[in-house]
Amino acid sequence: MTAQNVHAAYHALMIDIARIASENGRAVDDVTLVAVSKTQPADAILELAAAGQRVFGENRVQEAMEKFAPIRATYPDISLHMVGHLQTNKAKEAVATFDVIESIDSERLADAVAAEMKKQARYLPCFIQVNTGDEDQKNGVSPDDADALLAHCRDIGIEVIGLMCIPPVHEPAAFHFALLHDMAGRMGLKHLSMGMSGDYEDAILFGATHVRIGSALFGTRAQADNA
Ligand SMILES: *Cc1c(COP(=O)(O)O)cnc(C)c1O
């Protein structure tokens, strides 16, 4: 997309989110847009930052480090969310680079992240990623194991603020959003990261506090990126 198109897409999206929120009795500022900028060039991200967007999501540690270091020199108040699968051997860089980790999905990863947070004295709020479809190939903790993982995170000093999910592609997303909403209520967690370009309306309907949107803002991505 050109710079004007990114601007136009951003404003249209913000208006749409506001409409959906108000139609569902939600406050507009109850829903945070996480602009997922994976594979996008720094120019496009800077355009969005210039338009006022401050919360971004990336799914690869290395890419996020390289792209956002110079961008943050101009926009120090950017908040960067890790939305992709995190390997334990990347915990150090992830804790140094991101402001929120949305993809805690195992005790092993939680241990590695907690150890780094202590070492760096950088305590990031985190989401637990739930594999709501219990898909073999998907990351995320199984719904049955989510309570145990939450308890473990609390034991080791990780502040869990909510749940995150990526519904299976071939199923209606609403079912998964409803499930995540119920789980968060039962677990006493306030935040729900759910909804992408194709299904954010349903997600907001079911209580999303964070929608993670890439292609509706930046246009379709050139490369395969569903790692
Ligand atoms: C890529 C990605 C998104 C954004 O997807 P779009 O369909 O482009 O909006 C959201 N969440 C995660 C975890 C992603 O990897």
Side-chain angles (χ1 to χ4, degrees), residues 17-18 21-22 24-33 190-193 204 206-211:
I17 289 173
S22 75
N24 290 285
R26 310 265 318 269
V28 171
D29 59 7
D30 200 32
V31 183
T32 298
L33 169 63
K190 257 178 47 191
H191 295 284
L192 282 172
S193 175
I204 295 170
F206 283 100
T209 60
H210 294 71
V211 289

Side-chain angles (χ1 to χ4, degrees), residues 36 38 59 83 164 166 196-198 212-216 221 225:
V36 179
K38 63 190 183 191
N59 68 342
V83 300
M164 181 271 236
I166 307 171
M196 313 200 295
S197 292
R212 308 179 310 270
I213 297 182
S215 46
R221 287 173 294 271
D225 52 44

Side-chain angles (χ1 to χ4, degrees), residues 134-216:
D134 251 332
E135 297 171 283
D136 287 343
Q137 76 283 13
K138 265 271 173 65
N139 297 308
V141 65
S142 154
D144 290 341
D145 299 331
D147 289 287
L149 181 55
L150 175 62
H152 182 76
C153 286
R154 288 188 169 147
D155 279 349
I156 60 176
I158 292 183
E159 184 199 1
V160 176
I161 61 167
L163 302 178
M164 181 271 236
C165 78
I166 307 171
V169 264
H170 299 298
E171 288 180 29
F175 168 82
H176 297 274
F177 298 154
L179 176 66
L180 202 70
H181 174 265
D182 288 353
M183 284 181 67
R186 184 171 52 70
M187 295 163 80
L189 295 170
K190 257 178 47 191
H191 295 284
L192 282 172
S193 175
M194 56 190 198
M196 313 200 295
S197 292
D199 54 21
Y200 63 87
E201 176 147 15
D202 272 345
I204 295 170
L205 195 87
F206 283 100
T209 60
H210 294 71
V211 289
R212 308 179 310 270
I213 297 182
S215 46

